[in-house]
Every structure is written in C-alpha cells, then in structure tokens.
Amino acid sequence: PFLVNVIRDPVFLSGNTHTRYIDETPKLFEFPPRRDRGTKALRALADITINGPPGSTKRFKRPEPLIIPKAPKSAGKDAKSPAFEVFEREGAIGLAKWMRGQDKLLITDTTFRDAHQSLLATRVRTNDLLAVAKPSAELMENAFSFEVWGGATFDVCMRFLLEDPWQRLDEFRASMPGHLLQMLLRGANGVGYTNYPDNVIRAFIEEAAKGIDIFRIFDALNYIPNMELAIEEVNKHGKIAEASICYTSDVLSPKEDKYTLKYYADLAVELEKRGAHIINIKDMAGLLKPYSARALIKALRDVTELPIHLHTHDTSGNGVAMYLMAAEAGVDCVDTALSSMAGLTSQPSLNALIAAMEPDSRCPELDPESLQDLADYWEHLRLLYYPFESGLKASTADVYYHEIPGGQYSNLKPRAIELGMGEQWNLVTQRYHEVNLAFGNIIKVTPTSKVVADMAMFLVRNDLAIEDIFEGHQRGETFDFPQSVVDFFMGNISQPHGGFPKELQDIVLRGKKPLTERAGKFIPDYDWTAQNEALALLLERQPTRREAISYALYPKVYSALAQAIAEYGEYRAFNTTAYLYGLELGEETLVEMEDGKTLVIKLLAIGEASDGTRKVYFELNGQPREVVVLDKA
Ligand code: 3PY
Ligand code: ZN
C-alpha cells in the first residue's frame, strides 16, 4: 500500500504548508509497519551462502588463507594537493595553465575506478574503496587527481553490488576533500550504453559536479557533436572539462591513412574551441606504442596550448616504456594504478614508473614506500575478489592485432566462456578483428566495442565468417543481427570518421534510413514529472533528484535495485567476506546498520534441499531464527 505520510506527501514536502495542513491531514502520520531489518539481512545472507553473491550464478570458495586487507593508517591530516590548491584559487583555466607551465610529470591514480574495472569486472565495493581513500589522499598528497567514478562503476554499483553510486561519490568527496576527483563520462551516453535525452545528460552532470572536479568526456567515435553538450555543461558548473580523443590503430604505421597525426591534431584544435580545459588521449586498448606516443604528444603540443593528459592500458606490457617516451615529448599528466592493481588490462604501474623516472627531473614527487604500503592493501583486497579475475596471466602483444579495450577484455573473455565459447576464444578475437575491418575500421570503446564484440560472438555462435554475411545476402538470406549492431548502423550511437561502410549498412538496415546527425537531436526531452510519478509508486515515496537520475539512466536496473533493497535490505552493511562468500557453519558476523546499530548473526545449520528450497538456521542477536531460500543450483 502506498501511504502518503510526512515522508511522502508532496504538498508537505514542498514546504508550502502552514500548521493547519498538518492538523487537517491525519494521513501524514500513518506509517507502514516497521520493516524488520534483521529478517532482511538473514534472507540476504542465506541467499549468498546457498547461491553465491548478487549477480553471480554460482557460489565461490573462500580464498585460503583468508586475509582481511588492512589499509595503512590515516594520520588524520587534511591533505591538499598542489593541483587542488591551484584549482580552488584560479579555476579550470588557471589549472590548465599551471599544468602546462610546471615541469613535473603529473599523475592521475586510476586504482579506484579503471584499474578494478579492467581487472576485477568493476566489482570492488564502496566499503573497500573508502577504507583506503583517506590514507591514499595523505600518502599521495602530490597526486594530480584520483579517478573514482564513472565508466562502468555507476551501472555495476546498482546492478551487482546493490549499492547507490551517488553515495559512493559523496563518501569519496568527504574522504578526499583536498584532491581533484575525476570521472569518466561517455559523452551523450552518460554513464550508460546508449544516447540519452539532452536534459538527462545535463541533470546528471549538474548532480555529479557536486562531487567531481574533472570530467573526462569522450565519444566512442570521436564525434564532437556528441561531446559538445557535456563540455558546455561542465563549464557551466565551473568544473574542469577534459575532452578525450580516443586513440586507435598506429600513427607511425606506414599503412595508416585514416587515424593519422593530422586527424588527432585537428580533433585537439576543435575540442579546444569547444571549451575543453585539458586534452586527453584515451588509449583504451593500449595500442599507443612508445615511439608513436612521442610523435603524437609532439604533434598535439604543436597545435594546442592546453595540457595533454595521457591514458592507456598495459595489455601489451609496453605501458611504462610508452609513458617514458611520452614524458620525454612533454606530456603533462599520465594515468597509472598502484602496482598490485596495475599491468595487464589495467593501467601501467605507478610504482614502476616512479622507479624508472627517479634520475629524471620530471619524476613525480611521490614517495615509493608510501606507494608500496597502499599497494599492499590492494594486493590483499584483490585476493578477496579473485572470482572476478579475468584469467589473463600475462601481457599480450596480440592486442595490437585484435584491439580489444582493456576494460572490455576482462568482461568479454568470461562471457565467452560462460556462453560455451571458451575453447574458441582465439576465434572470437579473430572475428573481432575482422568485424572491425568490415565496419570500416572504427574506434572501439564503450559502446562501439560492445557492438563489435556482439557481432563477433554472433558470427562464432552461428559458425559464420564475415564474408558469409555478404554471400548469404547475395543469395537472398537475411540475418537476425544483434540489436546493438542495428543501432550502430542506424547512427543511433555516433557517426564514424569516414562514414559507414555502405554495403554492410544496407544489409543490416534492410531499407531503414539511418541518422546522419547526432542522435540526441532527435530524442525528446525526458519527462521528469511523469517519470517521477512512476518512480514514487515503486519507492512508495517521492524520489530524490539523484534517484530520479539513476532511474532515467537505468530504469530496469534501478527498479530491480529498489526491489532488492526492499526485500533484502542494505547489502553494504555486510563485510566483503560475507557479501561474496556467505557464512560458514558456526560463523558469526557483525552487520553494521546505517543508524549505528549492529546485528550479530550466526549461521547454525543448513537444511536439506526440498522442492528447490532450503531452510537456513541462524541466531540473530542470540535468538534462533530460520529463513527459507530458493536453492538455484
Ligand atoms: C568505460 O567507458 O567504462 C571505459 O573505461 C572506456 O574505456
Ligand atoms: Zn581506460
């Protein structure tokens, strides 16, 4: 039942009421029966113990030995970075001038976002990030920025961790008040996988700007019309617009005639005109080779006064070498991760870079011992999250061939295995390469990387090569292409440099007329009023602005999250061992509730499976309790 009481009544909440309204409206003080948080927690723990963590289809064995990671102690001081001070004093333009004017190589730490997105499928929980946020701010006081939000974290927070991503942002802001916090924004796709109405992107940026200082904005195909609105909105809120140029192919390859130095330089000039403060080279697949980096950085510095920020993934193992060459060529800032979360599909190791640059005058001013202390925490944390490792054990120069972005690789491989294509992994990567060429050699990053992967998996699943599509079409066959592929060729995602390959586009679209401008231009504004009504029914109260935005971006995921919380309570209250592995027989766990109360829960016994369910017996604060859960095995 939907009660309209003081916490839900729109008139009361508007604040435009006099005391008589309260006297005359008794329903304001009708409350639903108090929800039993204990029962919810027991049901969640029983479910995890029997079926595995949320979002997983199976249980995992606890790592042995089980090591609970300990963050270095915070000294309790208010760390403030030089970059943050400049930004406070002089704003975004002043910061950009300072970056370019000073001589040290600046460092963005990506451990809190891209590193675990790339190595652990984005699954690290807010509690585990926050435990080391303040110590990181202190021990890395001179860091330029910390990337803490955006990319896949928003989605994964809600979908799998059953957490509120906004709360994560607030807590980072509170723990790192003297540092620049950075996020990755997928241009017109926000933190999602599809173009959103303009007013949703604006609302999202306005809210995010309450915690984020630097917005790294990209479009998957470097299509500037898809980035303009975000750059403008970030400027409007006095924040730093870091506009990305996604990097692909190899600028120094003699065969390269599409993604040339001139192509990238022209983009930098255009982005500067649109209001960017920093130019980012986003090498999401780690394709930028050391000598190519030197040439590219020089070319960009020649055409723009803006600072250059370089992002890469270390899939090939050439990452540190590449950064050294870029540093020699004058790059202003690079992205790295702490050593235990670096390398492979993640960013290059900060610890290794510092060691390599020690004799150089540009060496970042960060203390190697402190970095090691932080890396130790992450090393242990990573062991705890082993179920989400991608399985990639060594660097692979094969990335120069298949060009799969780091963040995608760690997802795609397990997905291929899950779909029974594990043994055909090499074929999947080969098809990925061929699909890319057939699509006109496009830039591959979320969401275009998913389009290429969907098509590659479609081919492998149906035992087809790309030529079979053309040949089949000649014979009059039709194909049930993945929806993402249809969307791509419709122009619903973005417009590729050099246009779409016409023949394949016609085959996929079967006569439908594709867009030739930015898709957002044709998407009607989001109706906040109507949608908030729907959301209020779901939540049984008025949504906050942030909840409304989460729902606008991910209606289904957000609805499922709201339902999960209604049924199981706050998953954040569990420690990570309990959250990932459930309880062992006889084990006791403390569940800290948001209001400071603690539940003491002990697992006593697990009943036999009957009719697909099991009884699970607990003690809750000393009282025996039992719950019934579905056994999904
Ligand atoms: C993302 O969009 O999440 C990425 O990290 C792209 O590289
Ligand atoms: Zn990345």
Side-chain angles (χ1 to χ4, degrees), residues 113-114 117 150-152 184 186 218 282 284 311 313 405 407 445-446:
R113 202 284 298 182
D114 206 357
Q117 177 170 330
L184 182 68
R186 298 166 179 159
F218 75 95
K282 181 171 166 55
M284 58 281 166
H311 173 82
H313 289 252
V445 61
T446 318

Side-chain angles (χ1 to χ4, degrees), residues 468-479 507 510:
D468 296 327
I469 302 289
F470 293 100
E471 286 166 18
H473 177 73
Q474 298 272 312
R475 289 193 300 268
E477 282 172 44
T478 55
F479 299 91
I507 295 175
R510 289 192 224 159

Side-chain angles (χ1 to χ4, degrees), residues 114-115 287 506:
D114 206 357
L287 302 180
D506 289 344

